Amino acid sequence: MRIAITQFVTLDGVSQGPGSADEDPSGGFVRGGWFVPYLDEAFVRQASDWLDLADGLLLGRRTYEAFARDWPEIAEPDPFTGRMNALPKYVVSDTLGEAGWNPTTVLRGDITETVGALKAGPGREVQVHGSARLAASLLDAGLVDTLRLAVAPVVIGQGRRLITGDADLGLRLIGQRTTPSGLVILEYEVAGRAPLADYPGVEPLTR
């Protein structure tokens, strides 16, 4: 399966607490809920189309516990409820005890081995939603195939950023659009290591 990450980020790269003020106040973060004012029908349709590609969800413990608490209580006709509850869930955690949001498999140990084995299996996509720490670790480990960003037109100035580690990735842009509310949606494929070059100067223009 391919590993696809979907993340909400600000213009300054913050991914923490997009959905509400109390979603993730860790580290003293007090500016949660920054994505919600820009959540429009066009993005909901796009997110639904992406979820149609999923054969599983790959989550960190904290996001898994929040999703396991909330999604079973979200009633139809929410466009995501049925699929979020029915899809196989894979949780990367060495500390998670009970995993009752079925079907769930807990992946313990080194992610290069555990997630690598999942990636080598059959299927279309296993998708990471939220789980910013896990997403950063997967990027650092070179395990990601597709990166989907919904960039909100806001600068937060504090909070945990998506990419802070030692990732060395080249990305190929395969899709882009804007929504009426101002979200910029960017879809990338990972294309090896980040290319580097020296600027040779501008050649004189010929007439």
Side-chain angles (χ1 to χ4, degrees):
M1 283 193 284
R2 295 172 62 84
I3 295 180
I5 290 175
T6 298
Q7 285 288 323
F8 306 156
V9 295
T10 66
L11 282 174
D12 52 337
V14 174
S15 60
Q16 184 172 357
S20 69
D22 59 356
E23 178 182 355
D24 182 3
S26 62
F29 184 63
V30 296
R31 297 179 183 172
W34 46 265
F35 190 81
V36 177
Y38 306 100
L39 184 60
D40 57 19
E41 291 184 7
F43 178 72
V44 170
R45 288 194 299 270
Q46 177 65 83
S48 181
D49 289 345
W50 284 337
L51 191 59
D52 279 341
L53 302 175
D55 285 333
L57 303 175
L58 181 61
L59 306 169
R61 180 187 60 80
R62 183 176 300 185
T63 299
Y64 174 81
E65 290 178 336
F67 282 10
R69 179 193 66 223
D70 295 340
W71 277 109
E73 303 301 320
I74 299 176
E76 303 283 2
D78 182 277
F80 304 104
T81 298
R83 288 172 291 174
M84 292 294 287
N85 287 321
L87 280 168
K89 272 72 73 171
Y90 302 93
V91 189
V92 177
S93 176
D94 289 324
T95 60
L96 181 68
E98 182 178 352
W101 187 30
N102 294 316
T104 292
T105 301
V106 180
L107 303 181
R108 305 187 190 279
D110 182 78
I111 65 167
T112 302
E113 297 178 2
T114 58
V115 177
L118 179 64
K119 179 180 169 71
R124 297 173 301 167
E125 289 186 356
V126 59
Q127 296 183 354
V128 180
H129 294 271
S131 303
R133 291 184 180 90
L134 172 61
S137 295
L138 294 172
L139 287 166
D140 287 348
L143 291 169
V144 177
D145 298 290
T146 303
L147 178 62
R148 298 171 178 137
L149 301 177
V151 185
V154 61
V155 173
I156 292 298
Q158 65 168 235
R160 190 169 54 255
R161 286 163 172 76
L162 173 61
I163 300 174
T164 59
D166 295 325
D168 182 6
L169 302 171
L171 301 173
R172 180 186 303 113
L173 183 66
I174 59 173
Q176 58 181 318
R177 61 176 297 197
T178 58
T179 73
S181 69
L183 292 173
V184 177
I185 299 172
L186 302 169
E187 185 169 8
Y188 296 95
E189 283 186 347
V190 175
R193 298 180 64 180
L196 304 174
D198 293 328
Y199 177 58
V202 178
E203 295 182 1
L205 297 176
T206 59
R207 295 184 182 274

